[in-house]
Amino acid sequence: MPSTVTLSDQQQADLRGLSGLNESLFKEFLRIAVDFIKKGCRRGLFGPAAQRIGMQPEQVQRGVEALSSVLTECARCNLSEQEFAEGLLDQQLRSLLPKEQLVLMRKVYAHQRAEIRAVLNELSFSPLPHYVDLRWRLDAVVATRSMRQQVTEQQPLYILNLETAGGAAAASAAPTVADAEQAPATQTVVLQADPLTLQNMCAQLESAIAELKSPTTRRVMRNIR
């Protein structure tokens, strides 16, 4: 999918388990998934739905969590309806769900995208700045009259121009649907790092992102509201 929305093997299996549902039942799953995103995991959310659908509550919960993961990741990446539709047609999801169900997902995403982004904005700890853009260049000394003395000292350096938005100033007002769609003012920070330090930073960020996508972390974030 655009912007690399990745599904775990378990999520793929859970989505595949919904492929045999008729239109009415799949709409019910989508409705519960949107409610799950907006209000979190409430007591009794899956039991009554499981009785109506004729499935075990655990099966309903796993299916809802898989659908909510797709919707929230696409909203987090701010995909347009067209980008979402193109992503739904990629080989991974096309092999999991029939086209009719993918069309229903597109309609729900188009209708709920702004509200889902408002929820994500509320969960994103707005007092902290968040990433907007990054530009960089590599500075390296290729020749010098005193290279013999400096060869062990002149290391390449990355110059990073980092743009962020939000922060303490933006936290004074509660987020709304309109706020989620506005482009906030940005702040610029210029940094420099040698390749080894930058490689370590990337490894730490990748580890944090992987942890953020884990099922346990997702459940915690939905219930801290």
Side-chain angles (χ1 to χ4, degrees):
M1 297 183 71
S3 300
T4 314
V5 176
T6 304
L7 298 174
S8 68
D9 292 341
Q10 183 61 56
Q11 289 172 327
Q12 293 182 47
D14 294 336
L15 285 176
R16 191 177 291 110
L18 305 179
S19 60
L21 298 178
N22 60 36
E23 179 178 336
S24 176
L25 292 180
F26 191 71
K27 282 183 177 180
E28 178 72 2
F29 263 90
L30 288 171
R31 184 193 67 78
I32 299 171
V34 172
D35 192 46
F36 181 59
I37 293 170
K38 293 180 179 179
K39 301 178 182 179
C41 185
R42 308 188 317 279
R43 179 179 298 178
L45 176 63
F46 303 110
Q51 293 179 354
R52 293 194 301 271
I53 295 172
M55 299 174 66
Q56 293 297 319
E58 295 77 11
Q59 291 178 290
V60 174
Q61 181 173 351
R62 290 197 302 268
V64 165
E65 289 180 348
L67 287 173
S68 66
S69 292
V70 174
L71 295 173
T72 54
E73 284 299 301
C74 290
R76 182 184 63 80
C77 295
N78 201 21
L79 302 186
S80 66
E81 181 182 356
Q82 182 61 35
E83 289 173 329
F84 183 83
E86 292 171 355
L88 289 177
L89 295 177
D90 76 0
Q91 186 174 2
Q92 185 183 55
L93 275 178
R94 192 169 59 239
S95 66
L96 301 176
L97 297 172
K99 183 178 180 180
E100 294 76 13
Q101 291 182 344
L102 298 180
V103 171
L104 289 175
M105 287 184 67
R106 173 184 178 177
K107 291 179 179 178
V108 169
Y109 177 78
H111 183 66
Q112 299 288 341
R113 180 173 71 101
E115 292 190 42
I116 293 174
R117 282 184 57 78
V119 171
L120 294 177
N121 187 48
E122 186 176 348
L123 291 175
S124 66
F125 305 103
S126 56
L128 298 177
H130 59 270
Y131 171 86
V132 174
D133 190 25
L134 176 67
R135 296 187 298 275
W136 62 273
R137 75 171 189 263
L138 177 62
D139 285 357
V141 176
V142 296
T144 176
R145 292 181 179 178
S146 56
M147 178 61 77
R148 182 174 299 176
Q149 289 76 24
Q150 298 184 16
V151 66
T152 60
E153 302 175 6
Q154 295 292 340
Q155 298 293 329
L157 288 176
Y158 285 95
I159 308 299
L160 311 172
N161 189 304
L162 174 65
E163 289 188 19
T164 61
S172 56
T176 65
V177 172
D179 293 334
E181 295 301 308
Q182 287 183 342
T186 60
Q187 300 86 42
T188 300
V189 179
V190 179
L191 310 166
Q192 73 175 25
D194 61 81
L196 185 60
T197 299
L198 191 60
Q199 184 178 15
N200 183 59
M201 290 171 57
C202 290
Q204 293 296 323
L205 289 172
E206 288 171 356
S207 176
I209 291 172
E211 179 63 28
L212 187 63
K213 292 183 177 181
S214 69
T216 301
T217 302
R218 289 180 184 278
R219 292 191 184 97
V220 170
M221 291 184 67
R222 291 191 183 102
N223 285 280
I224 62 175
R225 298 177 60 205

